[in-house]
Amino acid sequence: MSTKDLLEIGGDRYSGFITYFNGEYGFITSDKNDYFFHKSVIKQLDYRPVKGDEISFTLQPSRKLKGKFDACSIVFIKKTEKKTDSYLIGVVKWYNLERGYGLIGTTDGKEYFIHKSNLLSDSIKEREMVIFVSNNLKGKLSAVKCRLFSIDVLQGMNENAQTELLKKYLDNLGNIEKSWYFNGNKDWKYNQIKSIAQSDKISEAVKAVFLQSAFEKAGTAYKIQMICDGLFEVTLEFQTELLQKYLDELGRSYSTKDY
């Protein structure tokens, strides 16, 4: 195999990735070619190769295989960043438990087919919020790695990923009002916000961004509740204005009732 087929990064050095190393010898892949190497050709004494590491190297004729090349003069470049799934959050529009499939909707108007084989939760039902990865299965926009949304799914993610997912969660949650019941509980939206705020699965910085957004989406009554519960801090002047607004809304509510 000609070395001209390799990806040159300057002079006679080439770039590649570690595919195997057992402590004594290993293999490098570079432009679909594989090269053997021995630990003695590693230039940095404190470097131990790990699968996926990006390295540079030169070539020398193989001592064992005529016409082949081995890697030598190996220099570590960087760790390969692990690709993470891009998660979406949606609401179950319907799910047929007997047939094991259903449909999930997202705030951008898209719909995702969900089959029970792609569920990580035991089951899902209408109006429940789920987290999933988008995939195209047999020409159909589908949800895979799907499970019920909970704060536990954020554990282990970096802060940017947590913040982005919580933003999507709030978008799906909509305005935080006592407008309709879910599982017999009209306060379920607020209870979800409170649960996330009290969780130790996310950092205080992520919580601060989340609660700021939640406060903006909350109705007057829940804004007051968030302040009383210590979830959000505002000035005394703002508290006064908020209470006055609440009293005004309460008055209008009573005036519209028929007695």
Side-chain angles (χ1 to χ4, degrees):
M1 177 80 55
S2 171
T3 60
K4 292 182 180 180
D5 294 330
L6 296 174
L7 174 63
E8 294 198 24
I9 63 170
D12 294 323
R13 296 197 69 82
Y14 310 96
S15 67
F17 298 89
I18 302 293
T19 57
Y20 174 81
F21 183 66
N22 66 1
E24 289 293 322
Y25 64 86
F27 291 92
I28 293 168
T29 186
S30 179
D31 196 30
K32 299 181 181 180
N33 301 315
D34 295 323
Y35 299 93
F36 171 89
F37 71 92
H38 187 268
K39 67 177 183 179
S40 61
V41 301
I42 299 172
K43 300 292 287 184
Q44 295 124 312
L45 297 177
D46 59 347
Y47 171 56
R48 178 183 173 84
V50 175
K51 183 178 179 180
D53 287 354
E54 184 176 354
I55 49 85
S56 70
F57 62 99
T58 59
L59 293 174
Q60 64 182 11
S62 173
R63 296 180 181 179
K64 295 183 178 181
L65 299 174
K66 187 176 180 180
K68 298 291 184 180
F69 295 91
D70 291 341
C72 62
S73 187
I74 293 172
V75 175
F76 170 72
I77 297 179
K78 66 177 181 179
K79 295 285 183 184
T80 301
E81 294 183 3
K82 293 183 179 179
K83 292 183 179 180
T84 56
D85 291 322
S86 179
Y87 286 100
L88 299 175
I89 293 180
V91 175
V92 180
K93 302 187 75 170
W94 60 269
Y95 185 77
N96 189 309
L97 187 60
E98 292 183 358
R99 296 187 177 184
Y101 63 83
L103 207 62
I104 296 169
T106 52
T107 55
D108 58 2
K110 292 182 179 179
E111 295 180 337
Y112 297 80
F113 176 79
I114 177 62
H115 188 268
K116 64 180 180 180
S117 61
N118 290 314
L119 277 179
L120 299 180
S121 298
D122 292 336
S123 185
I124 55 177
K125 58 185 178 182
E126 185 180 349
R127 289 166 61 175
E128 286 185 325
M129 204 174 297
V130 292
I131 181 171
F132 63 95
V133 175
S134 173
N135 203 339
N136 194 302
L137 301 178
K138 297 181 180 180
K140 185 181 297 185
L141 195 60
S142 303
V144 299
K145 298 183 181 179
C146 179
R147 56 179 162 173
L148 293 173
F149 179 86
S150 73
I151 194 64
D152 291 336
V153 302
L154 302 180
Q155 193 168 18
M157 296 182 181
N158 61 48
E159 289 190 352
N160 287 336
Q162 290 179 344
T163 300
E164 183 61 29
L165 275 176
L166 286 173
K167 179 181 180 299
K168 292 177 182 178
Y169 175 78
L170 285 173
D171 288 342
N172 279 274
L173 205 60
N175 292 333
I176 305 167
E177 303 272 6
K178 294 184 180 182
S179 54
W180 50 279
Y181 286 77
F182 182 62
N183 289 338
N185 184 0
K186 66 179 180 180
D187 293 319
W188 73 275
K189 287 187 177 183
Y190 180 75
N191 290 339
Q192 290 295 311
I193 299 297
K194 190 174 181 179
S195 176
I196 293 173
Q198 295 174 338
S199 173
D200 60 357
K201 310 291 185 182
I202 56 177
S203 70
E204 293 302 316
V206 172
K207 285 182 187 179
V209 175
F210 170 73
L211 289 173
Q212 174 68 49
S213 297
F215 189 80
E216 292 171 359
K217 286 179 172 288
T220 306
Y222 279 137
K223 277 184 167 71
I224 294 172
Q225 190 67 53
M226 288 181 71
I227 296 169
C228 292
D229 287 342
L231 303 184
F232 198 77
E233 294 185 359
V234 297
T235 64
L236 185 60
E237 181 181 0
F238 187 85
Q239 290 181 36
T240 303
E241 293 175 359
L242 196 60
L243 286 171
Q244 184 59 56
K245 182 179 180 181
Y246 176 70
L247 290 173
D248 291 343
E249 291 177 357
L250 202 60
R252 286 195 297 272
S253 175
Y254 276 107
S255 67
T256 58
K257 289 183 178 181
D258 294 323
Y259 291 97

